Amino acid sequence: MNIREINAMRGPNYWSVRRHKLIVMVLDLEDMEEKPTDKVDGFGDRLKAMFPSMYSHRCSEGCEGGFFMRVDQGTWMGHVIEHIALEIQTLAGMDTGFGRTRGYGEEGVYNVVFSYMEENVGRYAAKAAVRICEALISGAQYNLEEDIQEMRELRESSRLGPSTGSIVEEAQSRGIPWIRLNKYSLVQLGYGANQKRIQATVTSETSSIGVELACDKEDTKYLLEQAEVEVPRGDIIRRERSLEEACRYVGYPLVIKPVDGNHGRGITVDIQNYEDALVAFNHAKDSSRSGAIIVEKFITGQDYRLLVINNKLVAGAIRTPAHVIGDGKSTVKELVDRVNSDPRRGFGHENVLTKITINELTETIIKDAGYTVDSVIAHGEKLILKDTANLSTGGTAEDITDIIHPANVSMAERISKIIDLDICGIDIMTTDISQPLSETGGAVLEVNAGPGFRMHLAPTTGLPRNVASPVIDKLFPIKGETGRIPIIAITGTNGKTTTSRLIAHIAKMNGYRVGYTTSDGVYIQNRLLMTGDCTGPASAEFVLKDPTVNMAVLECARGGLLRAGLGFKRCDVGIVTNVAADHLGLKGIHTVEQLAKVKGVIPETVLPDGHAILNADDDLVYDMRRTVDCNVALFSMDENNPRIKALQRLNGITAVYENGFVTICRGEWKMRLMKAEHIPLTYGGKAKFMIQNVLAAILAAHVQGISNEDIKAALETFVPSAAQTPGRLNMFKFKNFSILLDYAHNAAGMRALQNFTDELDATVKVGIIAGLGDRRVEDNNEIGSIAAEMFDEIIIRQDKRLRGKTEEELIKMLNDGIQKKDPNKKTTIIPSENEAIKYAVKNAVEGSLIVLSSDVIPDALDLVKELKEMDNRGELHLLD
């Protein structure tokens, strides 16, 4: 049993489950195919013993215990692995429950799909579930706790922290998309030019001067003193010889801490004598980058944190360090274990509270209190275990927002402006926050940039506060603003790239700064920034991350969809050009109907007020209208198509080819743009499949509000060439012959190309063709048969994209197709593409047309351009 591949699916995918993040695991069960659960002795009992909590899994039976019923009746091991992967994530504190197991189209191979909360944990769970299932089958012992702890640690190492996570969740609730920009807490909210960024609770609008001030306690204290804010008396020193004088000036009790410290590092409180001050000074030195140390008055009272966002106080909490309360019977260690048994306490940030750890610092604090971890604490006595009140070290928090005195509220809001922070946490020590500091002798101890939200989001006691909401209010102040940019996504079997490029051209002509992805690369405006097949989610994210882009046009191929999903969750326009047999037999897609389901993901992701643009001449594409939750617009090469007429009667939007014109219709009203023969891309109207691409593109532009005049101007200036449409009907006129370069790489594409070349006059038509290693035998056979119909002579070449097959195998597939159609067809085999092109050129007769179907466009283009220059210089006779 093995995992053939594991893929993280971000956002919608071909299972059409939008609300989950999914792992797709292709599982090859090999010899386990013949051993369903009821055929393995004791399997069900061992499974129930290891996972009694699985009784809650209802499975298809629809009742508690339903999964175990299926196991007893007999089910596939892939199905068991799915449930184990879900259960071990739940046991590790990540409650997730969606899963499906389906046949892959190959005997013994299954698609296992299950949800995750953290991608690296989901991947680990997939592999661990296989190991566990193998152990259950063999009856071997298995240490489940190691997996559970590993998943917890993986989650903590990669998950967004509570503060960042709360802001992201608030953004999601408002329809604001987000992208994680690094493995830490840097997150982009919104897309392209409309994006904002956060890093923990520092935003792209946070003043860098404010952060600098907050990190410099000396400057912060000076500014607050100048503004008559209550702060404790203190001094800044750098050398040990200055410590004694500073202690006399400030007076005991003292606090000693580094100027540039954070998260409580290097702080010692309630220092009563010089000896302790000297120890505290050295401790602070160890945590200080600058070497500057604060010696200040220790203010008695309770530790309060006031949170101010956009200069408004939004929450307050009283913080208590991790502690235990004696019962007169239990040791300190036993008391800590009892506190940690609280179900609200977990590993790291997984729960509301964090488990208390006994480390070296804790042991020192316990020793200073006159105890050890084995000491019994008197009944009712409180023993502090940490030197700070941070929740991350086991502290607790109580919400006190509603009792803060107005004077203290005003002071906190004023401080945020003095230090110039849009989000700041103000630490106050006072005996009673409901009274002004001036009356209680309290003081402001610190101002923090990037304060943690956890204590306010989920206080130990008191009312939780949605402190993420005012952050989003500040970043996106206009009601309903989502930070999105228009996204147009294009899929289909053929025509995707040309349609994408044409839409991008129309948008650029209309003033948009466009980022677009194609099978040739990623472009920001007209600059190629990534090369190769860039039709997957990583390329889409590349565009959506770019802060200069205000419109995205994204080509989405089946490979990227199946391999890794989409780089976005919703789009404004989703186009499906057509669906035809291509890449069948790969990744569990064996029929055109299954392929259509994959392509149908794009229209399913369109926003409710957006448009799914579908080909009304293609039955499988037209049927996609049934699964969308948005407006539908249709295009057709036949204005009398009943589907077009039906939508027009409903006052829908359509685009048709009628009386030689490309026309947009609103209802039954026609808006003719121009004659197809005047659109350069259609080669005088001869390239009918290009007209189809034009119809899809003009519909996309129209529903995005681009005027007909601007669309027409763009159509007139979009010329098929190596520059604007590389590899798509690139015609090169030589002195005595022509070369047509096209990406046609499947039967449907070859048929479309045939319809075009049949319209072209030539004394002889020579085709240079190749098979593709990731196509079925019958697919390559059909390409050969079509070529036999199209060309007078055929050159088979085969040095690119073997993809698991040999040159000989692919050449034979093509030749078999040729021979079946026309056994007498003149056929030459030249495996090297370069040599094949040169051979065709050397032997070209007057008025001939050489058609090159290439799947590696840049290499072929470079050679054809070089040959064209040689022809211009009269040097073609020099070819080897």
Side-chain angles (χ1 to χ4, degrees):
M1 178 160 45
N2 61 31
I3 300 174
R4 187 177 292 179
E5 80 187 89
I6 296 177
N7 299 312
M9 304 291 290
R10 295 178 177 84
N13 53 81
Y14 71 99
W15 292 87
S16 300
V17 181
R18 292 181 180 161
R19 63 187 181 279
H20 300 288
K21 296 183 290 185
L22 303 176
I23 292 289
V24 175
M25 176 168 55
V26 180
L27 192 63
D28 191 341
L29 296 181
E30 297 176 346
D31 57 322
M32 291 299 107
E33 170 67 1
E34 302 302 323
K35 294 184 179 179
T37 54
D38 61 332
K39 302 297 184 184
V40 180
D41 289 341
F43 182 89
D45 292 337
R46 291 193 290 273
L47 180 66
K48 294 169 189 175
M50 182 178 282
F51 298 106
S53 52
M54 273 193 185
Y55 184 75
S56 63
H57 291 216
R58 306 173 74 87
C59 205
S60 57
E61 302 298 323
C63 61
E64 284 201 346
F67 173 61
F68 285 147
M69 292 168 61
R70 291 288 306 278
V71 170
D72 292 338
Q73 295 162 4
T75 189
W76 320 309
M77 290 301 174
H79 184 204
V80 175
I81 288 168
E82 167 211 323
H83 280 267
I84 291 175
L86 291 170
E87 187 62 20
I88 59 178
Q89 289 184 86
T90 299
L91 292 174
M94 288 153 277
D95 191 8
T96 186
F98 175 83
R100 295 287 186 272
T101 301
R102 297 289 185 268
Y104 187 75
E106 300 175 22
E107 186 176 352
V109 183
Y110 297 93
N111 265 316
V112 179
V113 181
F114 61 87
S115 55
Y116 65 84
M117 294 179 69
E118 297 296 329
E119 181 179 323
N120 59 349
V121 177
R123 290 177 179 271
Y124 184 93
K127 295 173 182 177
V130 172
R131 295 194 299 267
I132 292 168
C133 196
E134 288 174 330
L136 288 168
I137 291 169
S138 65
Q141 294 293 314
Y142 193 90
N143 190 340
L144 185 60
E145 282 304 313
E146 287 184 3
D147 283 336
I148 301 302
Q149 184 60 27
E150 179 67 18
M151 286 190 287
R152 284 173 171 163
E153 292 178 9
L154 282 172
R155 182 191 194 192
E156 289 306 305
S157 69
S158 62
R159 69 183 295 197
L160 293 173
S163 302
T164 313
S166 69
I167 297 172
V168 167
E169 287 177 11
E170 180 65 23
Q172 283 183 300
S173 72
R174 302 187 189 193
I176 299 170
W178 65 283
I179 300 173
R180 192 169 185 172
L181 298 178
N182 64 12
K183 64 180 181 180
Y184 302 109
S185 56
L186 182 62
V187 172
Q188 173 183 316
L189 304 177
Y191 288 147
N194 294 334
Q195 68 180 266
K196 303 289 184 180
R197 292 182 181 180
I198 59 170
Q199 183 159 314
T201 59
V202 174
T203 78
S204 49
E205 297 184 358
T206 298
S207 162
S208 59
I209 293 177
V211 174
E212 290 271 345
L213 285 173
C215 291
D216 188 325
K217 295 177 175 58
E218 183 177 10
D219 279 350
T220 297
K221 186 174 180 180
Y222 176 77
L223 288 177
L224 295 182
E225 280 181 326
Q226 295 300 304
E228 295 297 328
V229 174
E230 288 84 356
V231 293
R233 170 183 280 198
D235 197 4
I236 307 289
I237 61 174
R238 286 176 171 78
R239 298 174 180 82
E240 183 181 319
R241 64 172 179 263
S242 305
L243 177 62
E244 190 170 1
E245 182 180 348
C247 292
R248 283 198 302 270
Y249 167 70
V250 176
Y252 297 105
L254 300 172
V255 174
I256 294 181
K257 57 187 175 181
V259 164
D260 50 7
N262 55 41
H263 299 294
R265 296 185 183 94
I267 298 176
T268 306
V269 301
D270 198 14
I271 300 168
Q272 299 288 347
N273 54 63
Y274 180 73
E275 289 73 22
D276 290 343
L278 186 58
V279 173
F281 175 83
N282 290 321
H283 178 52
K285 271 282 190 182
D286 291 339
S287 300
S288 173
R289 296 185 301 274
S290 66
I293 306 300
I294 294 178
V295 179
E296 67 183 18
K297 189 72 174 179
F298 176 62
I299 306 297
T300 58
Q302 294 175 302
D303 182 0
Y304 292 91
R305 164 63 65 85
L306 305 186
L307 179 64
V308 181
I309 299 175
N310 202 18
N311 306 128
K312 295 291 182 183
L313 187 136
V314 298
I318 183 171
R319 302 184 295 174
T320 305
H323 65 277
V324 292
I325 298 175
D327 60 4
K329 297 179 292 184
S330 305
T331 66
V332 173
K333 187 176 185 308
E334 289 169 340
L335 291 171
V336 170
D337 289 342
R338 190 177 304 159
V339 170
N340 284 340
S341 67
D342 185 338
R344 295 177 298 171
R345 291 190 182 269
F347 181 82
H349 291 150
E350 70 179 0
N351 288 345
V352 173
L353 298 173
T354 299
K355 289 182 182 292
I356 300 170
T357 58
I358 298 177
N359 54 20
E360 186 177 344
L361 173 61
T362 306
E363 290 176 345
T364 300
I365 294 172
I366 294 172
K367 181 180 177 182
D368 291 344
Y371 299 109
T372 70
V373 293
D374 296 317
S375 300
V376 174
I377 309 299
H379 182 78
E381 181 179 344
K382 182 177 183 180
L383 177 63
I384 301 296
L385 301 175
K386 302 290 181 181
D387 59 354
T388 67
N390 293 343
L391 269 66
S392 59
T393 60
T396 58
E398 176 187 355
D399 178 74
I400 47 84
T401 306
D402 296 330
I403 66 167
I404 303 173
H405 193 278
N408 295 333
V409 172
S410 176
M411 175 198 68
E413 294 174 350
R414 187 164 165 257
I415 287 171
S416 73
K417 293 185 178 182
I418 293 168
I419 305 302
D420 191 23
L421 284 174
D422 59 343
I423 302 174
C424 70
I426 301 167
D427 293 338
I428 294 173
M429 187 69 72
T430 182
T431 54
D432 186 358
I433 197 68
S434 67
Q435 299 299 318
L437 292 192
S438 58
E439 296 180 10
T440 62
V444 174
L445 304 182
E446 200 168 325
V447 178
N448 300 276
F453 284 0
R454 187 181 177 194
M455 71 187 77
H456 308 296
L457 295 165
T460 315
T461 57
L463 188 66
R465 306 284 172 170
N466 182 8
V467 294
S469 181
V471 176
I472 299 300
D473 289 341
K474 180 184 188 324
L475 294 175
F476 301 95
I478 301 173
K479 186 175 181 180
E481 186 180 5
T482 63
R484 294 180 179 275
I485 60 174
I487 297 176
I488 300 175
I490 303 97
T491 194
T493 300
N494 294 306
K496 301 185 296 296
T497 300
T498 300
T499 304
S500 299
R501 286 180 172 277
L502 178 54
I503 293 170
H505 178 73
I506 296 170
K508 284 184 288 184
M509 290 283 289
N510 201 51
Y512 283 99
R513 299 186 301 278
V514 184
Y516 58 103
T517 66
T518 71
S519 56
D520 305 321
V522 178
Y523 297 78
I524 303 298
Q525 286 292 77
N526 292 320
R527 188 171 296 277
L528 177 64
L529 297 182
M530 294 175 67
T531 58
D533 187 346
C534 295
T535 56
S539 303
E541 280 199 356
F542 182 91
V543 168
L544 297 173
K545 288 176 184 176
D546 193 291
T548 68
V549 169
N550 61 12
M551 177 181 279
V553 179
L554 308 175
E555 179 181 345
C556 303
R558 52 155 292 286
L561 284 166
L562 291 174
R563 183 176 62 253
L566 296 169
F568 56 91
K569 289 189 176 180
R570 307 303 294 267
C571 60
D572 299 271
V573 177
I575 299 173
V576 186
T577 57
N578 47 66
V579 176
D582 194 21
H583 294 285
L584 298 182
L586 298 175
K587 294 187 180 296
I589 304 302
H590 298 274
T591 67
V592 180
E593 290 73 21
Q594 288 176 322
L595 182 60
K597 288 185 178 180
V598 177
K599 304 289 187 183
V601 167
I602 296 301
E604 287 176 8
T605 64
V606 176
L607 291 160
D609 59 349
H611 288 80
I613 296 177
L614 306 177
N615 184 348
D617 299 332
D618 187 310
D619 293 345
L620 291 172
V621 176
Y622 180 66
D623 281 347
M624 293 176 189
R625 76 195 190 285
R626 303 180 189 278
T627 60
V628 303
D629 182 25
C630 63
N631 301 301
V632 173
L634 300 176
F635 63 94
S636 173
M637 294 292 288
D638 176 11
E639 70 166 322
N640 295 312
N641 183 322
R643 297 163 177 175
I644 292 289
K645 291 296 186 183
L647 185 58
Q648 288 177 343
R649 286 193 294 271
L650 295 173
N651 205 34
I653 301 174
T654 57
V656 293
Y657 177 52
E658 52 87 26
N659 293 314
F661 286 87
V662 292
T663 300
I664 295 173
C665 304
R666 279 192 168 269
E668 297 180 340
W669 292 99
K670 293 179 179 178
M671 294 175 283
R672 286 178 171 171
L673 291 185
M674 59 191 301
K675 276 189 170 291
E677 64 186 39
H678 296 153
I679 300 173
L681 189 60
T682 71
Y683 281 90
K686 295 184 178 71
K688 295 295 190 290
F689 61 96
M690 284 297 189
I691 299 175
Q692 196 174 67
N693 295 335
V694 168
L695 293 175
I698 64 175
L699 263 185
H702 181 74
V703 299
Q704 281 300 110
I706 298 176
S707 71
N708 291 345
E709 291 76 14
D710 287 334
I711 296 173
K712 180 179 178 181
L715 292 177
E716 290 172 336
T717 56
F718 191 72
V719 179
S721 63
Q724 286 195 310
T725 59
R728 275 70 183 176
L729 287 193
N730 298 157
M731 184 73 79
F732 296 86
K733 298 283 189 181
F734 286 68
K735 291 176 182 176
N736 298 318
F737 59 90
S738 298
I739 295 180
L740 176 66
L741 176 61
D742 192 75
Y743 185 61
H745 59 290
N746 55 49
M750 288 291 287
R751 284 293 183 199
L753 184 60
Q754 179 184 17
N755 292 335
F756 173 60
T757 57
D758 285 350
E759 297 286 321
L760 302 179
D761 292 327
T763 56
V764 175
K765 293 178 183 177
V766 180
I768 303 175
I769 65 171
L772 294 175
D774 56 358
R775 288 348 187 246
R776 300 171 303 176
V777 173
E778 56 264 41
D779 296 329
N780 283 313
N781 289 163
E782 188 174 2
I783 289 175
S785 295
I786 297 170
E789 296 177 16
M790 291 175 65
F791 305 120
D792 301 301
E793 300 177 18
I794 298 173
I795 300 171
I796 301 177
R797 62 90 182 163
Q798 198 61 62
D799 61 340
K800 312 282 186 181
R801 299 202 178 187
L802 299 178
R803 295 178 176 176
K805 293 186 176 67
T806 66
E807 288 185 7
E808 293 75 16
E809 287 174 324
L810 291 170
I811 290 170
K812 183 179 185 305
M813 291 177 201
L814 291 172
N815 205 31
D816 286 348
I818 295 169
Q819 294 300 309
K820 183 178 179 180
K821 179 63 64 173
D822 184 352
N824 299 314
K825 182 66 64 177
K826 182 180 179 182
T827 304
T828 306
I829 298 173
I830 305 175
S832 166
E833 182 178 64
N834 281 5
E835 294 305 315
I837 295 171
K838 290 177 181 178
Y839 174 86
V841 168
K842 280 193 297 183
N843 293 280
V845 301
E846 183 82 21
S848 64
L849 172 66
I850 300 169
V851 179
L852 171 58
S853 295
S854 177
D855 55 338
V856 183
I857 299 302
D859 295 348
L861 271 177
D862 288 344
L863 178 57
V864 173
K865 289 176 183 176
E866 181 183 336
L867 294 173
K868 183 72 170 67
E869 290 175 3
M870 291 179 66
D871 186 51
N872 292 339
R873 298 192 301 266
E875 298 176 354
L876 277 183
H877 65 282
L878 299 177
L879 278 176
D880 295 334

mmCIF file of all heavy atoms in Angstrom, residues 516-538:
data_model
loop_
_atom_site.group_PDB
_atom_site.id
_atom_site.type_symbol
_atom_site.label_atom_id
_atom_site.label_comp_id
_atom_site.label_asym_id
_atom_site.label_seq_id
_atom_site.Cartn_x
_atom_site.Cartn_y
_atom_site.Cartn_z
ATOM 1 N N TYR A 516 -1.492 38.859 -16.122
ATOM 2 C CA TYR A 516 -2.185 37.710 -16.712
ATOM 3 C C TYR A 516 -1.262 36.500 -16.799
ATOM 4 O O TYR A 516 -0.038 36.619 -16.943
ATOM 5 C CB TYR A 516 -2.809 38.047 -18.063
ATOM 6 C CG TYR A 516 -1.911 38.553 -19.154
ATOM 7 C CD1 TYR A 516 -1.515 37.712 -20.196
ATOM 8 C CD2 TYR A 516 -1.485 39.874 -19.179
ATOM 9 C CE1 TYR A 516 -0.726 38.183 -21.231
ATOM 10 C CE2 TYR A 516 -0.692 40.355 -20.203
ATOM 11 C CZ TYR A 516 -0.308 39.503 -21.226
ATOM 12 O OH TYR A 516 0.483 39.976 -22.244
ATOM 13 N N THR A 517 -1.877 35.326 -16.685
ATOM 14 C CA THR A 517 -1.146 34.067 -16.744
ATOM 15 C C THR A 517 -1.543 33.319 -18.005
ATOM 16 O O THR A 517 -2.700 33.363 -18.428
ATOM 17 C CB THR A 517 -1.440 33.193 -15.518
ATOM 18 O OG1 THR A 517 -2.822 32.784 -15.544
ATOM 19 C CG2 THR A 517 -1.171 33.948 -14.229
ATOM 20 N N THR A 518 -0.565 32.625 -18.590
ATOM 21 C CA THR A 518 -0.829 31.840 -19.791
ATOM 22 C C THR A 518 0.037 30.581 -19.753
ATOM 23 O O THR A 518 0.873 30.410 -18.867
ATOM 24 C CB THR A 518 -0.483 32.624 -21.078
ATOM 25 O OG1 THR A 518 0.943 32.744 -21.163
ATOM 26 C CG2 THR A 518 -1.109 34.009 -21.074
ATOM 27 N N SER A 519 -0.154 29.734 -20.734
ATOM 28 C CA SER A 519 0.689 28.540 -20.840
ATOM 29 C C SER A 519 2.097 28.888 -21.293
ATOM 30 O O SER A 519 2.970 28.019 -21.338
ATOM 31 C CB SER A 519 0.067 27.540 -21.819
ATOM 32 O OG SER A 519 -0.145 28.142 -23.075
ATOM 33 N N ASP A 520 2.346 30.158 -21.636
ATOM 34 C CA ASP A 520 3.682 30.611 -22.029
ATOM 35 C C ASP A 520 4.420 31.304 -20.893
ATOM 36 O O ASP A 520 5.640 31.392 -20.902
ATOM 37 C CB ASP A 520 3.597 31.603 -23.208
ATOM 38 C CG ASP A 520 2.838 31.021 -24.383
ATOM 39 O OD1 ASP A 520 3.023 29.830 -24.652
ATOM 40 O OD2 ASP A 520 2.046 31.752 -24.999
ATOM 41 N N GLY A 521 3.674 31.851 -19.924
ATOM 42 C CA GLY A 521 4.322 32.564 -18.840
ATOM 43 C C GLY A 521 3.372 33.513 -18.137
ATOM 44 O O GLY A 521 2.168 33.541 -18.406
ATOM 45 N N VAL A 522 3.919 34.284 -17.216
ATOM 46 C CA VAL A 522 3.158 35.278 -16.461
ATOM 47 C C VAL A 522 3.618 36.668 -16.885
ATOM 48 O O VAL A 522 4.823 36.949 -16.936
ATOM 49 C CB VAL A 522 3.362 35.118 -14.938
ATOM 50 C CG1 VAL A 522 2.607 36.204 -14.185
ATOM 51 C CG2 VAL A 522 2.909 33.741 -14.486
ATOM 52 N N TYR A 523 2.645 37.513 -17.174
ATOM 53 C CA TYR A 523 2.919 38.874 -17.616
ATOM 54 C C TYR A 523 2.325 39.874 -16.637
ATOM 55 O O TYR A 523 1.188 39.710 -16.187
ATOM 56 C CB TYR A 523 2.313 39.135 -18.999
ATOM 57 C CG TYR A 523 2.872 38.289 -20.110
ATOM 58 C CD1 TYR A 523 2.468 36.963 -20.281
ATOM 59 C CD2 TYR A 523 3.801 38.821 -21.009
ATOM 60 C CE1 TYR A 523 2.977 36.181 -21.309
ATOM 61 C CE2 TYR A 523 4.312 38.040 -22.046
ATOM 62 C CZ TYR A 523 3.895 36.732 -22.187
ATOM 63 O OH TYR A 523 4.404 35.971 -23.199
ATOM 64 N N ILE A 524 3.097 40.889 -16.299
ATOM 65 C CA ILE A 524 2.567 42.049 -15.587
ATOM 66 C C ILE A 524 2.644 43.200 -16.587
ATOM 67 O O ILE A 524 3.732 43.606 -16.985
ATOM 68 C CB ILE A 524 3.376 42.375 -14.315
ATOM 69 C CG1 ILE A 524 3.401 41.162 -13.377
ATOM 70 C CG2 ILE A 524 2.781 43.592 -13.616
ATOM 71 C CD1 ILE A 524 2.043 40.712 -12.875
ATOM 72 N N GLN A 525 1.449 43.663 -16.993
ATOM 73 C CA GLN A 525 1.347 44.530 -18.161
ATOM 74 C C GLN A 525 1.976 43.790 -19.344
ATOM 75 O O GLN A 525 1.596 42.666 -19.629
ATOM 76 C CB GLN A 525 1.987 45.896 -17.896
ATOM 77 C CG GLN A 525 1.138 46.770 -16.980
ATOM 78 C CD GLN A 525 -0.170 47.234 -17.616
ATOM 79 O OE1 GLN A 525 -1.136 46.487 -17.724
ATOM 80 N NE2 GLN A 525 -0.230 48.489 -18.014
ATOM 81 N N ASN A 526 2.953 44.355 -20.008
ATOM 82 C CA ASN A 526 3.517 43.676 -21.172
ATOM 83 C C ASN A 526 4.849 42.997 -20.864
ATOM 84 O O ASN A 526 5.522 42.517 -21.772
ATOM 85 C CB ASN A 526 3.726 44.675 -22.316
ATOM 86 C CG ASN A 526 2.403 45.182 -22.869
ATOM 87 O OD1 ASN A 526 1.465 44.413 -23.009
ATOM 88 N ND2 ASN A 526 2.331 46.469 -23.158
ATOM 89 N N ARG A 527 5.216 42.983 -19.595
ATOM 90 C CA ARG A 527 6.521 42.441 -19.238
ATOM 91 C C ARG A 527 6.392 40.986 -18.804
ATOM 92 O O ARG A 527 5.639 40.657 -17.879
ATOM 93 C CB ARG A 527 7.145 43.276 -18.116
ATOM 94 C CG ARG A 527 8.595 42.880 -17.811
ATOM 95 C CD ARG A 527 9.224 43.873 -16.857
ATOM 96 N NE ARG A 527 9.304 45.195 -17.472
ATOM 97 C CZ ARG A 527 10.260 45.584 -18.294
ATOM 98 N NH1 ARG A 527 11.218 44.730 -18.633
ATOM 99 N NH2 ARG A 527 10.275 46.793 -18.790
ATOM 100 N N LEU A 528 7.135 40.104 -19.471
ATOM 101 C CA LEU A 528 7.146 38.682 -19.131
ATOM 102 C C LEU A 528 8.054 38.487 -17.924
ATOM 103 O O LEU A 528 9.259 38.731 -17.999
ATOM 104 C CB LEU A 528 7.657 37.869 -20.325
ATOM 105 C CG LEU A 528 7.805 36.363 -20.109
ATOM 106 C CD1 LEU A 528 6.451 35.718 -19.842
ATOM 107 C CD2 LEU A 528 8.470 35.720 -21.329
ATOM 108 N N LEU A 529 7.466 38.033 -16.805
ATOM 109 C CA LEU A 529 8.232 37.880 -15.568
ATOM 110 C C LEU A 529 8.491 36.432 -15.198
ATOM 111 O O LEU A 529 9.407 36.139 -14.441
ATOM 112 C CB LEU A 529 7.507 38.580 -14.412
ATOM 113 C CG LEU A 529 7.344 40.097 -14.550
ATOM 114 C CD1 LEU A 529 6.665 40.673 -13.319
ATOM 115 C CD2 LEU A 529 8.700 40.763 -14.757
ATOM 116 N N MET A 530 7.665 35.515 -15.693
ATOM 117 C CA MET A 530 7.891 34.090 -15.472
ATOM 118 C C MET A 530 7.655 33.380 -16.795
ATOM 119 O O MET A 530 6.740 33.749 -17.532
ATOM 120 C CB MET A 530 6.928 33.532 -14.409
ATOM 121 C CG MET A 530 7.151 34.077 -13.016
ATOM 122 S SD MET A 530 5.882 33.501 -11.836
ATOM 123 C CE MET A 530 6.265 31.746 -11.772
ATOM 124 N N THR A 531 8.467 32.385 -17.105
ATOM 125 C CA THR A 531 8.297 31.653 -18.355
ATOM 126 C C THR A 531 7.875 30.221 -18.074
ATOM 127 O O THR A 531 8.031 29.709 -16.968
ATOM 128 C CB THR A 531 9.601 31.648 -19.164
ATOM 129 O OG1 THR A 531 10.637 31.062 -18.367
ATOM 130 C CG2 THR A 531 10.005 33.056 -19.556
ATOM 131 N N GLY A 532 7.332 29.580 -19.105
ATOM 132 C CA GLY A 532 6.874 28.206 -18.964
ATOM 133 C C GLY A 532 5.365 28.147 -18.820
ATOM 134 O O GLY A 532 4.662 29.161 -18.951
ATOM 135 N N ASP A 533 4.868 26.941 -18.553
ATOM 136 C CA ASP A 533 3.431 26.756 -18.372
ATOM 137 C C ASP A 533 3.033 27.311 -17.009
ATOM 138 O O ASP A 533 3.342 26.748 -15.972
ATOM 139 C CB ASP A 533 3.088 25.265 -18.451
ATOM 140 C CG ASP A 533 1.581 25.028 -18.447
ATOM 141 O OD1 ASP A 533 0.822 25.965 -18.131
ATOM 142 O OD2 ASP A 533 1.168 23.897 -18.755
ATOM 143 N N CYS A 534 2.367 28.441 -17.029
ATOM 144 C CA CYS A 534 2.018 29.154 -15.790
ATOM 145 C C CYS A 534 0.499 29.238 -15.645
ATOM 146 O O CYS A 534 -0.075 30.324 -15.521
ATOM 147 C CB CYS A 534 2.650 30.539 -15.788
ATOM 148 S SG CYS A 534 4.457 30.506 -15.755
ATOM 149 N N THR A 535 -0.153 28.080 -15.682
ATOM 150 C CA THR A 535 -1.618 28.058 -15.623
ATOM 151 C C THR A 535 -2.120 27.454 -14.310
ATOM 152 O O THR A 535 -3.278 27.065 -14.223
ATOM 153 C CB THR A 535 -2.180 27.254 -16.806
ATOM 154 O OG1 THR A 535 -1.601 25.943 -16.798
ATOM 155 C CG2 THR A 535 -1.857 27.934 -18.119
ATOM 156 N N GLY A 536 -1.247 27.380 -13.301
ATOM 157 C CA GLY A 536 -1.629 26.813 -12.019
ATOM 158 C C GLY A 536 -1.802 27.865 -10.942
ATOM 159 O O GLY A 536 -1.676 29.068 -11.190
ATOM 160 N N PRO A 537 -2.072 27.431 -9.696
ATOM 161 C CA PRO A 537 -2.374 28.362 -8.613
ATOM 162 C C PRO A 537 -1.199 29.246 -8.200
ATOM 163 O O PRO A 537 -1.408 30.390 -7.799
ATOM 164 C CB PRO A 537 -2.801 27.434 -7.464
ATOM 165 C CG PRO A 537 -2.227 26.104 -7.793
ATOM 166 C CD PRO A 537 -2.225 26.025 -9.280
ATOM 167 N N ALA A 538 0.031 28.736 -8.285
ATOM 168 C CA ALA A 538 1.174 29.556 -7.888
ATOM 169 C C ALA A 538 1.296 30.777 -8.796
ATOM 170 O O ALA A 538 1.591 31.887 -8.329
ATOM 171 C CB ALA A 538 2.458 28.723 -7.933
#
